Every structure is written in C-alpha cells, then in structure tokens.
Amino acid sequence: MLENPSKATGDHLRPKGWTADARRIIDIRSKKHVSAEDPVRKDILDGLRSSPMTLPTYILYDAQGLQLFDAITRLECYYPTASEVSILTQGARDLAASLPDNSTVVELGCGSLVKTRLLLYALERLRKKTSYYALDLSSSELKKAINGLDSGLKYVSVTGLHGTYDDGRKWLARARTKSSGPLVVLWLGSSIGNLSRDDAASFLSQFVKESLVPGDMFVIGIDRRNDPDIVWKAYNDDLGITRKFILNGLNHANRHLDQVFRLEDWEYEGIYHKRGGYHEAFYIAQRDVDMRGIVGNESGHFPAGTRILVEQSWKYSPREATILFDRCGLFPVQRWTDAAGMYDLHLLHVPPFNFSISCLDPTHVPNLDSWEELWKSWDLVSESMMPDEMLQEKPIPVRNECAFYRGHVPTFFDIKLTEAVPELRPLEPVYFHGIFARGIDPDLDDPSHVHWHSETPQTWPSPDAIMKYKATVRDRIKCMYSNQTLTRRGWRAIWMGFEHESMHLETLLYMLLQSGTTIPPPVPAAMVFGIGGQPCSFPDTTTIELHDIELGMMDSEDQDDTVEPASAHEFGWDNENPASISSVSGKLEVSRKLITNADYLEYLREIGSQRIPQSWSGTVVRPTVKTVFGAIAFDMSDETGPAQWPVVASYNDLQGYGKWKGHGWRLPSEVELRVIYDYSAKGTSTDGQCDIAQSNIAFKFWHPTALAPEIEIAGPGSMGVWEWTSTVLTRHEGFLPGRLYPEYTADFFDGKHNVVLGGSWTTHPRLSGRRSFRNWYQRAYEFAFVGGRLVRDAL
Ligand SMILES: C[S@@+](CC[C@H](N)C(=O)[O-])C[C@H]1O[C@@H](n2cnc3c(N)ncnc32)[C@H](O)[C@@H]1O
C-alpha cells in the first residue's frame, strides 16, 4: 500500500460508509490543463506542424473511443485481446502467486478491466493483500470500470487514478515511502506497441529510474511479429469498428481545436510494415483541406492524399523483447505465451544491480556507471550473501577462507594501480598488499604444489577495516577518471581491476554455492522456475561447416607510456594476444544444447556410479541441484526446470560422459566452439564482439537455465554456464606475458588446464561479449560454473 497517497495528491481518505460502487478516483493530472494553454491542443498543433505529420495517439481514447476500443477487443480478428485473455485465464493464478504479498499494483491504461479482473480475482483467491490502482485518461470510463469489479473483494483494494502515464510515473515517485510494499506496474493490451522501440526503451527506463526500486516489477503484455495478413486484419476489420475508432479521434481533437476537422474530409488507412514489424494508422485527406487559420502558415494546407499518423503498433520477436528489457534494466523472471505462440505476457524484475548487455563496449575501459553497478553486485555477494559469520569458512577446501576474497579485490586493484601510476603510493594500511595480493589455487593432483600466494595471517583484519579500505580504493578509482595525465598503462590497470573484480564475483558465487550458510539474494523466488516452456521446432543436432577463423586481438603494451583518454585503446588479457588465423575444416555434427542434469543422471545410473558432481547434493537416487536459493530436486519430466539445466561438472567427468555415449561423441576444441558460436549468432555478432542478447549471463537468472525453445543452437552462455573445450591451455605463438600482471596466464601452462568459452549466469557481459576472451580451469576442477556439449565429425 502506498503510504497515504491522498496526502500526496491532496485527495481525501476513503470516507466512512464507503461502498464498492463508490470506489475512489484520485485526480493525479498535472495542473497544466488549467493554465492558459490547453496541453492537448498544443500537442495536436505541434503534431500537425511537424514532419511527418502526426496526431497524439491518446486522442483516440476519449470516453467514446474507449467504448469503441472495447468493441474492437471483442472482434474475432483482434487476436491480441483473445491471446491475452487465454494467457490470463490459464496463468492468472501463476502470476498472482509470483507477486509478493502487500504489493501495490498500478495498471497503466487499464481500459475496461476485462482482463485485469482475472488477475485481481486470482489475488483475492490466494488471499494476497494487494492495493490495486487503475490509471486511465477518462474519469467517467474509469469510474464505470472500477465500479464494475466485484464489490466483495476483501484482500484487494481498488482505487482509480485519473491521469496520463507521465502523471502516473510522477505520482508514484511522490507517493512512495520507505514503508510502501513492492510495486508492480501492469501494462496490458500491448499498449507498449504504441511507442517506437526507442521510445518504449526510454519510457520504461524513465519509469525504472524515477519511480521503481530493486525488487519492484513490471508485467507487460506484448504482441509478437505474427503473420502479416493476420496483423493487418486485426486493425482493419470488416465491420469497420477500427475505422470508427480512429475517426472518432478527430471528434476528440475537434473539442480542443474549435471543430476544425470535418469528418467527411478524412478517411482511415492501416498499413503493416513487415520488415520493421509495426502497423500504422493514418488519416488520409480525401480532398484539399485548408486549416491554415488554425495551424498557422503554409503547413496548414493539406492537399488531397495528405497522411497524418495517429497510431503505431510495434510487434516484438522474443529476441527484440529481450533486447528491450536489457536496455531498460529490467530482468525477465517469467514469460507466459498463448498456445498459438502469438503473444507474450512478461514478468520483469528491477534487479539489485544491472550489467547491461546492450550499450556494451567490451574492449574499452568501463565507465564509472559500470563500476557503480559492479560495486553493487560485489557488495551484495561479498557482504549480504556472505555475512561476517562465514568469513572463517572454506567452502572449497583447496581455496582460501572467505575473508581473503573480501580483501583481495580492492588490494589487487591498489597494487596494480600503484605499479602503473608512478606518482601513487599504496593506500593505508599498506600491509594489506602483503596478505591479500594473491590467493591459493593448487594443483588438484598434488595440492602441496601451489603457485606463490600471500601468507595467510593468524587473524584476518576486521570486516570494518576491510570495508573502510575498499571505500578508499573506490574513491581512488573515481578520482582516476578525472586525471588528465593518465597513461595507457594507468587505464590498463583500471580496465584490469574491473575485469578482475568481475571474475572474482563469479569465483565467490561458485564458492558460496558450496556453503550451507549462504544467504539467498533478494530477487524473487519465481526466478528459480525459469523461462516458460513451449514446443521447440529445432532438431537435437545440427551439422555445420567448419572454416578458418580469426582468434584473439591486438593489444601490444609497447605504447603504454602514451598519455591518452580512456577510450583511445582496446584492451585484452595477455592470452588474447596476438590475433591469429586458425585453420579448421570439414563438417561437425553439433548438439543443440549442453549435456543436461537429466542426461548426466541417466549416465550415472547406467554405469552404476554413486559419484554425483559437486554441483548436486543428495544421492543418485534422489539428487538435487545446488542453487543460491538452496537445493532443488529435479523432476526428470519437467521440461524447463533443473533437469533440463546444463550439468556443471569437471572436464574429466564430461569427457567420460562423451565416451559412454560412444559413436564419436566428444567435447569440441576451442576453434570448433568458436565456429559454433559464430554459427549460432547468424551474423549478428559485430567486429570483435559476440552476440549475447539471448544469453543467460549477467545475472539475468540467478541459476543456469534450459535452452529457450526459440534458440536453434546454444551460443555463448545460452544456458548460463561456460563450456569446456578439449584445447589445453598452452603458450601460443607470439604470446608475451602481460607486463602489469605477468603471472596471469603464464603460471597455468602446466598442461593440466583446458580452455573454456562462453560465460555463466554470473559472468559480466564484458567478458562474454568480447570474442577474444578465454577462460581456463584444471580438467579435474568441479566447482566452476562450466558444462559441456558433445560434437562429432560428420561425414
Ligand atoms: C490499447 S488500450 C489497452 C486497454 C486495456 N489495458 C486492455 O488491455 O484492454 C490502451 C489504454 O491506455 C490508455 N492510454 C493511452 N494513452 C495513455 C496515456 N498517455 N496515459 C494514460 N492512459 C493512456 C487508453 O485510454 C486505453 O485504455
């Protein structure tokens, strides 16, 4: 419930003796409409003076327009309503169950509430206390709609909000208080389609930035790019109701423009643009029309055939929807699709931090906004999920205690920065450089064989001391960005510190997964369930042609003394250098997805092994998958749940699985896997970058996922884990140890480490998005978020 919203608007609290047929409507319109200039008139005139000419879409929705729209929604050809009704008829309970108790649900453009009532009644049946606010433009229609809802609702309170979307956004930002419960913004009817893709992204982003906080949600109905004939018919019905609806917009405009539009001068025309994926509704002048008196100057002369655009209806493929959400910092939690696969209802979550996949520039120095998001993620994982009580724990026995990682990340940064920028001195306390410089990563075959690492002190510094140090290091990073004399080496240290922290975020999470004391993250539990299932039309394997490809990138350190801006140079780790062409030919039969938990369980049962991977708990008879939310049992018949997630296991174990499969099945080499990734991107990768728009990386989900049905073949991070390759990490031709961090790769040329590619659900998009980025682990290492897929030579 929003704390006393009436106070924010000057409205009165619900009066005594209130009944459902007198549900309250709060007027939240900005007071512009009482000023000298009528804002609707201004919008109309601005549109008529612009090129191309437009009228605001909202003029379609006066009281008469809303009634006509309601009639449209009942037409058989207007499939978006039928699709959304079918989704809500089946899924309202599921959706209601995913919304938190005591939430405030605000619906944008609620219309007649025919569909919304399905959700409200489901919330009532589940006894979820909900404050529902219905927002729309016409107060008379709003009154009818909200008073038409069941008067006996006990758990769901209903209030109207009279105003525009913008008024609603501003009102929410004002009315919300610290004690308000989570906010859910409901936007049905594919109304988002009335905005262009860019405007939709700005609209949602502004909402997220100004009115929402982490933990809030959006529920958005979106029409897909369906058969063009079906889409066109939806907006061009035989009974002419859509025509009446659009032409009625001129009546509405006339009320603000002194009756300047004569309806007989104008006709409706609808056009669907198949390539762009949007329908447009126009007014077409039937004869020369002179409106110079009102529009002013020559732009008011409309020759016969003049078009005025009044409405666009943009359609979204699942991929376009994913890109839209990423641009706005909204993470998909769940998706419901109608049986015909024409329409989606998305449940989205405002995450505690946001590593945007779009707007990515993975070879250059990250900006300060990216640092801020990384710090939020680091604090959440290293402090909220790993409380002080865990600091002495060693969730992975061969690695350091948890305490080490809290101190290591800021210390590493300070060490590299002071090496790269001669005028800097180590920050206090300087002795941190001695105890936090490098962690333990022993040879698994002989744990006594271990690289140089910092001495473990008798007692670690206090959490407060580490926190203070971290804050000072962060201040130092911020200062660096305004340093006009920084050399490329200085920027390299900043770039390196960022990617190093991102990698440690991942390390910490796979460690925390092994501990029983980890606190789950503050994201909705519904995220555990993953993407809604749908039939997949792709075969289990695809045969692809292998070909020569370029691997790596060019990043010499010879010019590191140059003073230059952050954006001047492209950075990569020493093992990414130099770029080279790798030759590979022939045909490869490639599995569409990675080896799943269900596949691996079947294998263990077949060979009679009791040895489950470290990513599971329980037994072979009743195994569970470890997640940050706790262990989850896997039901072999569930098509989207943990049984269909990729199994996380060592290279050796997955290679064993391949051998058991026989018939030439094996894990791919590094070059083969890159060719597979390029194939999966279908040419959408740009120079030096991977296509990761559909990947489950960057905490889109807080666990691995089944492969989405619309993906033909898994690409980097598609299922939320890295992939093992059969390529042993070796010193390649032209390799030079990085001068700022010489041991980064060179310490691992022991023949025991294999290259892994892609990314996991925890991987920063900079790493998964940079085509030259490579990771590696010992073949026997079981803990990292790495799975594998089988390939075999094709004839
Ligand atoms: C496509 S209809 C959808 C109605 C309803 N949600 C449904 O799914 O049937 C769009 C709704 O949004 C409202 N609307 C359009 N533009 C608006 C704006 N700028 N501010 C507030 N409401 C608006 C309209 O009045 C109408 O009720």
Side-chain angles (χ1 to χ4, degrees):
M1 169 77 183
L2 295 174
E3 188 100 325
N4 195 2
S6 55
K7 201 171 133 206
T9 60
D11 220 54
H12 295 294
L13 283 172
R14 186 185 287 179
K16 271 195 185 142
W18 176 89
T19 56
D21 60 345
R23 285 183 165 123
R24 195 163 57 110
I25 293 185
I26 309 175
D27 184 352
I28 58 165
R29 288 173 298 167
S30 56
K31 298 301 172 206
K32 273 188 284 174
H33 59 291
V34 295
S35 69
E37 192 170 21
D38 168 6
V40 180
R41 180 189 171 94
K42 181 175 181 308
D43 285 351
I44 294 171
L45 289 177
D46 285 352
L48 291 177
R49 287 170 188 150
S50 69
S51 173
M53 251 176 286
T54 58
L55 281 174
T57 305
Y58 67 75
I59 62 155
L60 301 177
Y61 295 101
D62 60 354
Q64 174 71 14
L66 275 162
Q67 285 166 22
L68 284 165
F69 180 75
D70 197 40
I72 292 172
T73 63
R74 290 169 217 275
L75 294 170
E76 203 177 319
C77 64
Y78 193 74
Y79 68 88
T81 302
S83 308
E84 212 170 40
V85 168
S86 80
I87 291 171
L88 281 166
T89 305
Q90 293 196 5
R93 192 181 187 284
D94 223 10
L95 173 57
S98 305
L99 304 187
D101 207 7
N102 285 317
S103 47
T104 297
V105 177
V106 177
E107 179 167 9
L108 303 180
C110 64
S112 64
L113 297 180
V114 168
K115 287 169 285 183
T116 314
R117 69 185 60 213
L118 297 169
L119 173 63
L120 298 179
Y121 297 167
L123 286 161
E124 178 76 14
R125 279 192 293 275
L126 290 176
R127 301 180 173 203
K128 286 214 169 170
K129 280 203 206 102
T130 309
S131 306
Y132 169 69
Y133 292 83
L135 176 145
D136 216 311
L137 296 167
S138 155
S139 79
S140 60
E141 292 304 301
L142 187 56
K143 196 168 175 185
K144 259 196 245 166
I146 59 174
N147 289 331
L149 290 172
D150 184 350
S151 58
L153 299 177
K154 284 202 184 93
Y155 295 89
V156 178
S157 71
V158 180
T159 308
L161 295 176
H162 179 206
T164 64
Y165 298 150
D166 285 345
D167 294 330
R169 192 189 66 244
K170 290 177 193 153
W171 178 79
L172 276 173
R174 285 197 310 269
R176 176 169 211 146
T177 66
K178 277 200 176 122
S179 57
S180 307
L183 194 65
V184 181
V185 182
L186 188 62
W187 204 12
L188 300 180
S190 206
S191 299
I192 191 171
N194 293 149
L195 304 177
S196 70
R197 296 195 203 289
D198 282 345
D199 288 348
S202 313
F203 181 88
L204 294 177
S205 303
Q206 205 177 358
F207 234 103
V208 171
K209 258 195 211 126
E210 290 178 15
S211 310
L212 306 186
V213 298
D216 288 345
M217 294 176 173
F218 244 106
V219 178
I220 311 185
I222 306 189
D223 194 15
R224 285 202 184 181
R225 279 183 180 246
N226 293 310
D227 177 333
D229 287 341
I230 295 180
V231 177
W232 188 82
K233 281 205 183 94
Y235 297 94
N236 296 275
D237 62 283
D238 293 341
L239 297 175
I241 306 208
T242 307
R243 176 178 174 274
K244 265 195 202 156
F245 167 69
I246 300 286
L247 291 178
N248 174 64
L250 296 181
N251 284 330
H252 185 183
N254 275 340
R255 291 201 293 279
H256 295 269
L257 282 190
D258 315 321
Q259 305 296 327
V260 294
F261 285 106
R262 293 188 331 156
L263 257 65
E264 59 274 25
D265 289 346
W266 300 91
E267 194 40 82
Y268 161 60
E269 187 179 317
I271 300 176
Y272 182 61
H273 304 270
K274 183 175 165 219
R275 244 181 117 199
Y278 59 100
H279 182 273
E280 289 188 310
F282 293 100
Y283 298 108
I284 311 286
Q286 299 301 292
R287 53 193 65 83
D288 289 0
V289 177
D290 190 347
M291 285 172 41
R292 277 173 293 195
I294 188 82
V295 178
N297 66 42
E298 273 314 296
S299 57
H301 176 68
F302 303 134
T306 298
R307 287 158 179 264
I308 304 176
L309 174 69
V310 68
E311 184 193 50
Q312 290 187 320
S313 305
W314 287 79
K315 312 294 167 188
Y316 285 78
S317 66
R319 179 188 163 80
E320 285 165 335
T322 309
I323 292 171
L324 171 71
F325 304 147
D326 176 69
R327 285 176 71 183
C328 316
L330 285 166
F331 274 22
V333 176
Q334 215 163 344
R335 186 182 77 200
W336 294 267
T337 303
D338 64 318
M342 296 173 82
Y343 197 94
D344 298 302
L345 189 65
H346 300 266
L347 175 62
L348 307 155
H349 171 248
V350 181
F353 54 88
N354 176 23
F355 296 161
S356 177
I357 290 178
S358 31
C359 341
L360 194 67
D361 185 6
T363 53
H364 287 99
V365 178
N367 59 21
L368 271 175
D369 286 346
S370 303
W371 272 109
E372 293 288 351
E373 295 304 312
L374 182 64
W375 291 335
K376 281 187 217 164
S377 71
W378 179 254
D379 294 348
L380 189 145
V381 174
S382 70
E383 281 159 32
S384 310
M385 293 178 67
M386 187 179 87
D388 293 353
E389 302 82 83
M390 282 181 75
L391 294 180
Q392 309 308 321
E393 252 187 66
K394 265 193 189 181
I396 299 179
V398 291
R399 306 296 296 267
N400 289 83
E401 291 157 355
C402 288
F404 170 81
Y405 297 94
R406 276 208 194 157
H408 172 62
V409 160
T411 307
F412 174 90
F413 189 85
D414 198 47
I415 292 174
K416 294 303 162 204
L417 201 61
T418 42
E419 270 173 49
V421 185
E423 61 270 25
L424 295 181
R425 294 280 148 268
L427 289 167
E428 292 293 341
V430 182
Y431 81 94
F432 275 20
H433 284 207
I435 57 170
F436 285 129
R438 196 172 187 202
I440 305 173
D441 189 3
D443 183 336
L444 295 172
D445 300 328
D446 173 12
S448 66
H449 184 225
V450 51
H451 307 124
W452 176 87
H453 59 88
S454 310
E455 281 315 312
T456 307
Q458 290 277 316
T459 51
W460 293 103
S462 72
D464 276 355
I466 297 178
M467 190 143 23
K468 221 166 121 198
Y469 180 73
K470 180 179 75 178
T472 338
V473 172
R474 287 180 181 178
D475 285 343
R476 177 167 260 187
I477 295 173
K478 287 185 218 158
C479 282
M480 287 296 125
Y481 279 77
S482 50
N483 183 333
Q484 303 292 320
T485 59
L486 211 57
T487 59
R488 183 181 295 176
R489 187 174 299 106
W491 291 121
R492 185 181 295 284
I494 293 172
W495 164 85
M496 190 175 271
F498 188 96
E499 297 208 349
H500 173 263
E501 184 161 339
S502 312
M503 289 186 232
H504 267 288
L505 184 69
E506 175 147 7
T507 311
L508 204 52
L509 273 158
Y510 75 63
M511 290 186 118
L512 293 186
L513 206 71
Q514 298 300 329
S515 164
T517 17
T518 300
I519 312 266
V523 294
M527 284 179 125
V528 173
F529 305 117
I531 307 165
Q534 240 195 291
C536 166
S537 54
F538 296 112
D540 290 344
T541 65
T542 301
T543 299
I544 67 173
E545 196 89 44
L546 296 171
H547 51 84
D548 294 356
I549 52 164
E550 189 180 66
L551 290 180
M553 52 124 41
M554 290 302 196
D555 171 20
S556 153
E557 289 174 70
D558 290 346
Q559 309 290 319
D560 268 19
D561 289 329
T562 318
V563 173
E564 61 187 16
S567 58
H569 186 73
E570 297 190 353
F571 294 98
W573 295 91
D574 53 10
N575 64 66
E576 296 174 58
N577 278 291
S580 65
I581 301 290
S582 288
S583 289
V584 58
S585 58
K587 285 185 177 171
L588 198 65
E589 188 181 350
V590 183
S591 305
R592 176 176 170 262
K593 51 186 179 178
L594 278 62
I595 302 160
T596 63
N597 284 317
D599 295 334
Y600 199 73
L601 180 59
E602 186 198 349
Y603 156 65
L604 292 183
R605 286 180 178 166
E606 283 277 325
I607 63 168
S609 170
Q610 304 295 318
R611 214 187 123 255
I612 59 169
Q614 296 282 0
S615 59
W616 297 359
S617 48
T619 62
V620 177
V621 179
R622 205 165 288 127
T624 56
V625 179
K626 292 177 188 170
T627 77
V628 286
F629 304 96
I632 306 180
F634 55 95
D635 168 4
M636 297 289 273
S637 62
D638 180 356
E639 285 175 12
T640 59
Q644 292 306 319
W645 295 358
V647 63
V648 167
S650 72
Y651 176 87
N652 293 341
D653 287 340
L654 294 183
Q655 197 194 27
Y657 174 86
K659 280 201 181 127
W660 169 75
K661 272 272 174 193
H663 304 288
W665 288 111
R666 59 179 172 81
L667 293 163
S669 69
E670 179 180 8
V671 185
E672 288 170 340
L673 190 54
R674 261 297 158 225
V675 175
I676 295 170
Y677 286 167
D678 287 349
Y679 175 88
S680 78
K682 296 199 183 335
T684 50
S685 297
T686 48
D687 206 18
Q689 299 194 22
C690 296
D691 179 14
I692 46 173
Q694 305 243 71
S695 304
N696 174 15
I697 58 161
F699 298 85
K700 191 180 282 178
F701 294 90
W702 283 70
H703 52 76
T705 41
L707 187 59
E710 59 269 16
I711 297 180
E712 182 192 342
I713 179 165
S718 292
M719 297 176 77
V721 296
W722 296 86
E723 283 188 63
W724 283 110
T725 75
S726 56
T727 302
V728 176
L729 183 76
T730 48
R731 185 181 293 269
H732 59 263
E733 206 181 316
F735 172 84
L736 283 175
R739 287 177 210 160
L740 199 53
Y741 189 0
E743 60 278 34
Y744 174 68
T745 316
D747 270 3
F748 301 93
F749 293 141
D750 55 7
K752 296 188 172 196
H753 291 76
N754 275 33
V755 174
V756 308
L757 295 182
S760 84
W761 58 271
T762 65
T763 307
H764 197 283
R766 291 185 65 84
L767 307 181
S768 288
R770 192 165 67 243
R771 197 172 169 282
S772 53
F773 186 80
R774 317 158 78 204
N775 207 344
W776 62 91
Y777 291 103
Q778 286 182 69
R779 285 188 291 279
Y781 199 53
E782 293 194 60
F783 299 103
F785 296 137
V786 191
R789 97 173 82 194
L790 297 181
V791 299
R792 65 179 168 184
D793 300 332
L795 299 175

